[in-house]
Amino acid sequence: MTVAQHQAEAERLLHAAGILPVITVDSIDQGRRIAEALLSGGLRTLELTLRTPAALETLAALKKELPDIVIGAGTVLDAAQVRQAIDAGADFLVTPGTPPALADVLAQAPLPAVPGAATPTELLALMARGFRVCKLFPASAVGGLAMLKGLAGPLTGLKLCPTGGIGEGDAADYLSQPNVVCIGGSWMVPKPWIDAGEFDRVTAGAAKAAIIVERVRNDATA
């Protein structure tokens, strides 16, 4: 598939998600319980960050055990992690930032990628390589809603997944922006809940997030 075809698939996956839970796991069992709680709440797509030793084996286990879940490998930093995420069965790749060498690897990868950027210059460089679906990170720190609105005019055709500093209270505002295809966040999977084993709260948080997506999408078509 071409970069354009992979980008179309990335947009489809993120639009279907609406809100992308960003999770970090310490063990396969913990990852399984988080994923099951998110699925129960109505969120079937997640970003599993490659920040812990358990991440890749958890990704592989979840793809085998939970066929209904769609997993993006997040915090992908280099070519080695791209290969590892692909081998583990990731459905797509997500980076927090994208230097030129990593952008080239993502453009040649055999699955969709959502490269991260924080500035218009970085986004333009990614667009020059054919990327049309990117992650804005860290969203709130680089201007939040004002940044998204500012980018919408000059960077037409670019779809963004803002992540970083977004919570339940402002999720709808972000998702309502015309250049936003999805938003990422971890408010429905906070570490205190995970550490305490309060996965029922994760399910409830996921259900609220799913309702936010439904309401925003319904308002957009009303």
Side-chain angles (χ1 to χ4, degrees):
M1 293 176 70
T2 65
V3 174
Q5 290 171 320
H6 277 140
Q7 286 293 279
E9 177 65 4
E11 182 174 358
R12 185 192 69 78
L13 289 172
L14 292 186
H15 184 269
I19 290 178
L20 184 68
V22 180
I23 74 169
T24 301
V25 301
D26 294 323
S27 68
I28 294 176
D29 182 64
Q30 184 188 75
R32 182 186 299 112
R33 297 188 69 183
I34 295 171
E36 289 174 343
L38 292 171
L39 282 170
S40 295
L43 299 182
R44 62 181 299 268
T45 304
L46 60 85
E47 175 184 335
L48 197 165
T49 67
L50 304 187
R51 300 177 188 174
T52 65
L56 287 166
E57 60 180 357
T58 299
L59 197 165
L62 293 182
K63 287 304 300 179
K64 290 178 181 178
E65 298 173 17
L66 301 172
D68 291 336
I69 204 162
V70 178
I71 302 178
T75 319
V76 174
L77 304 179
D78 53 37
Q81 287 189 324
V82 169
R83 291 190 296 271
Q84 291 168 340
I86 292 169
D87 291 343
D91 295 294
F92 60 101
L93 306 167
V94 186
T95 72
T98 320
L102 181 55
D104 290 340
V105 172
L106 294 179
Q108 298 171 18
L111 73 171
V114 183
T119 69
T121 299
E122 293 171 7
L123 290 167
L124 283 169
L126 291 170
M127 293 178 74
R129 284 176 165 81
F131 293 102
R132 293 293 181 271
V133 181
C134 298
K135 173 178 179 175
L136 181 66
F137 180 83
S140 63
V142 299
L145 291 169
M147 177 69 153
L148 289 166
K149 292 174 182 178
L151 292 171
L155 302 187
T156 57
L158 178 67
K159 294 295 184 180
L160 293 166
C161 178
T163 305
I166 301 172
E168 186 177 300
D170 55 3
D173 292 332
Y174 275 90
L175 197 56
S176 298
Q177 300 308 307
N179 57 342
V180 170
V181 65
C182 177
I183 60 174
S186 57
W187 73 85
M188 74 296 290
V189 285
K191 193 174 186 301
W193 293 0
I194 305 305
D195 290 345
E198 296 176 331
F199 296 100
D200 56 334
R201 299 183 72 177
V202 174
T203 295
K208 289 180 180 179
I211 290 172
I212 289 171
V213 175
E214 182 179 8
R215 286 177 176 170
V216 169
R217 300 269 168 84
N218 287 342
D219 289 346
T221 57

